[in-house]
Amino acid sequence: MTLNSIWHYTDGRGLEGIVTHNTLRASSFRHLNDSREADYATGLLKAAAEKRRDSVPSPHQARFDELMEHAERRGLDLFLLCAARKPDLLTVWRGYGGKVSYAIELDATVDLLPVQRSKEKSHPHPAVGHEIERDEDGYIVQDPDQLHIEPVPWRRVRYDTAGVDERVDRIAKLAEKPKHALTDMLLSWHELADIKMLELKHPAFRDEREARMILEVAPRWKFVHHYEGRFGVTPFIELSALDGENQRHANDRHLTKAGRLPIRSVMIGPTPLGDEVIGATREFLEVNGYPDVIVSRSTIPFRS
């Protein structure tokens, strides 16, 4: 089912940064607050593969193992933008402690794309080994500066394991087909395990009613920023919306600068403050270019 609206929960500093810079941060999948989440889907995939492997014909088991390793992609550093499918969720508000928090409603039908960090076409400070690789015929096998953007629009997080066995079955069937170097090079990891594997989350988090955007960007140096986070230096990319002439490349879509975000409304979380907090938030949005955004406050009673 297509999502129409989603709510991105944040604190006051987060709201200020989002509105003044017209960007949202998608964080590294390997730097989530729940350190075990990055291994959850991979663990499900591996368990299903162990059960399926014995039924793969012996001549194709090595190929099956190779494709499974590619599908797991433990070293792949994807980026997630997380939100909720509902506003005013006590489970999510509680995550912000005693601070005044906000839920920003976004139009989920509007594409959010990575904003480039650098205008350079090749790495300005390449490390040793950062060079184009060619085969014996001179064809490029790997270009470390080749642009590749893999955005997946908003999807519901699933709190069950439905579909995992089907993914492994697909890999097993592919393992029996002839191997081709060019095909392998172009074979996206999510064509194997499917990017939906990253929509899986432990059932204990069901009350969060989460939705996610999932992105892969290359080359990383062109898009990735860093900040000092809970787990040290943390990578992130900035996302924004198309606004006039700020898009580049029809296939690998990205933005040269931020555009106006598709903000529909802002809900203020449970707070002992009076209605003055609504007026201040409305004024803040207006002076930063969002005059028509609806501002409301949580209906959940405040508890200190």
Side-chain angles (χ1 to χ4, degrees), residues 1-4 154-156:
M1 181 183 296
T2 302
L3 294 173
N4 182 266
W154 290 106
R155 302 279 185 90
R156 295 168 180 261

Side-chain angles (χ1 to χ4, degrees), residues 209-226:
R209 302 185 189 183
E210 188 176 332
R212 289 176 170 175
M213 277 193 67
I214 306 169
L215 301 103
E216 180 183 3
V217 297
R220 287 175 58 84
W221 59 263
K222 191 173 182 69
F223 297 97
V224 177
H225 301 258
H226 299 84

Side-chain angles (χ1 to χ4, degrees), residues 131-134 139-144 146 185:
E131 56 190 24
I132 294 175
E133 295 182 18
R134 299 178 184 273
Y139 291 103
I140 295 177
V141 175
Q142 181 177 355
D143 180 354
Q146 182 178 359
M185 181 182 72

Side-chain angles (χ1 to χ4, degrees), residues 202-304:
H202 195 281
F205 297 95
R206 188 183 300 272
D207 287 347
E208 294 179 354
R209 302 185 189 183
E210 188 176 332
R212 289 176 170 175
M213 277 193 67
I214 306 169
L215 301 103
E216 180 183 3
V217 297
R220 287 175 58 84
W221 59 263
K222 191 173 182 69
F223 297 97
V224 177
H225 301 258
H226 299 84
Y227 74 99
E228 175 62 26
R230 181 178 175 185
F231 305 108
V233 176
T234 302
F236 71 94
I237 60 174
E238 293 184 332
L239 305 178
S240 193
L242 181 63
D243 184 13
E245 299 298 320
N246 66 338
Q247 179 180 323
R248 289 294 180 271
H249 296 272
N251 294 325
D252 289 311
R253 300 173 65 197
H254 70 279
L255 305 178
T256 57
K257 60 182 180 179
R260 190 175 184 274
L261 290 169
I263 299 176
R264 286 177 167 170
S265 69
V266 172
M267 175 175 283
I268 302 167
T271 173
L273 299 176
D275 287 343
E276 68 274 9
V277 70
I278 296 178
T281 303
R282 186 178 290 123
E283 180 182 54
F284 167 69
L285 291 165
E286 181 180 342
V287 299
N288 282 282
Y290 294 89
D292 301 319
V293 172
I294 299 169
V295 179
S296 62
R297 60 187 301 170
S298 171
T299 59
I300 298 174
F302 175 78
R303 297 183 186 276
S304 59

Side-chain angles (χ1 to χ4, degrees), residues 56-283:
V56 176
S58 297
H60 304 292
Q61 287 184 351
R63 174 64 169 160
F64 175 75
D65 294 340
E66 180 184 9
L67 290 174
M68 282 303 310
E69 183 178 352
H70 183 65
E72 291 171 16
R73 294 300 293 272
R74 284 181 174 272
L76 185 64
D77 199 352
L78 296 162
F79 294 88
L80 300 183
L81 177 59
C82 300
R85 292 181 281 109
K86 298 287 183 181
D88 210 11
L89 294 174
L90 181 59
T91 299
V92 185
W93 290 132
R94 280 174 171 165
Y96 292 91
K99 298 179 180 178
V100 178
S101 47
Y102 304 83
I104 304 171
E105 181 189 6
L106 298 168
D107 184 343
T109 67
V110 175
D111 290 341
L112 295 177
L113 302 173
V115 181
Q116 68 179 23
R117 174 180 176 272
S118 172
K119 297 180 181 179
E120 302 291 337
K121 294 183 178 180
S122 58
H123 201 310
H125 309 290
V128 176
H130 186 94
E131 56 190 24
I132 294 175
E133 295 182 18
R134 299 178 184 273
D135 62 17
E136 60 272 13
D137 298 319
Y139 291 103
I140 295 177
V141 175
Q142 181 177 355
D143 180 354
D145 293 321
Q146 182 178 359
L147 189 67
H148 177 74
I149 312 295
E150 195 75 57
V152 177
W154 290 106
R155 302 279 185 90
R156 295 168 180 261
V157 166
R158 296 182 293 119
Y159 304 96
D160 57 64
T161 60
V164 176
D165 290 339
E166 287 82 354
R167 312 290 173 198
V168 175
D169 284 340
R170 182 166 55 183
I171 294 172
K173 292 175 182 178
L174 184 62
E176 298 182 26
K177 295 182 179 180
K179 180 178 179 179
H180 190 279
L182 181 59
T183 301
D184 278 11
M185 181 182 72
L186 298 176
L187 187 62
S188 298
W189 71 275
H190 62 84
E191 290 297 325
L192 297 176
D194 196 287
I195 208 159
K196 289 183 180 179
M197 293 298 296
L198 294 180
E199 297 168 14
L200 294 177
K201 197 167 183 177
H202 195 281
F205 297 95
R206 188 183 300 272
D207 287 347
E208 294 179 354
R209 302 185 189 183
E210 188 176 332
R212 289 176 170 175
M213 277 193 67
I214 306 169
L215 301 103
E216 180 183 3
V217 297
R220 287 175 58 84
W221 59 263
K222 191 173 182 69
F223 297 97
V224 177
H225 301 258
H226 299 84
Y227 74 99
E228 175 62 26
R230 181 178 175 185
F231 305 108
V233 176
T234 302
F236 71 94
I237 60 174
E238 293 184 332
L239 305 178
S240 193
L242 181 63
D243 184 13
E245 299 298 320
N246 66 338
Q247 179 180 323
R248 289 294 180 271
H249 296 272
N251 294 325
D252 289 311
R253 300 173 65 197
H254 70 279
L255 305 178
T256 57
K257 60 182 180 179
R260 190 175 184 274
L261 290 169
I263 299 176
R264 286 177 167 170
S265 69
V266 172
M267 175 175 283
I268 302 167
T271 173
L273 299 176
D275 287 343
E276 68 274 9
V277 70
I278 296 178
T281 303
R282 186 178 290 123
E283 180 182 54

Side-chain angles (χ1 to χ4, degrees), residues 16-35:
E16 179 184 17
I18 289 167
V19 171
T20 57
H21 297 290
N22 295 308
T23 59
L24 291 150
R25 286 186 178 185
S27 299
S28 163
F29 183 61
R30 292 189 289 172
H31 292 75
L32 298 174
N33 288 337
D34 180 1
S35 60

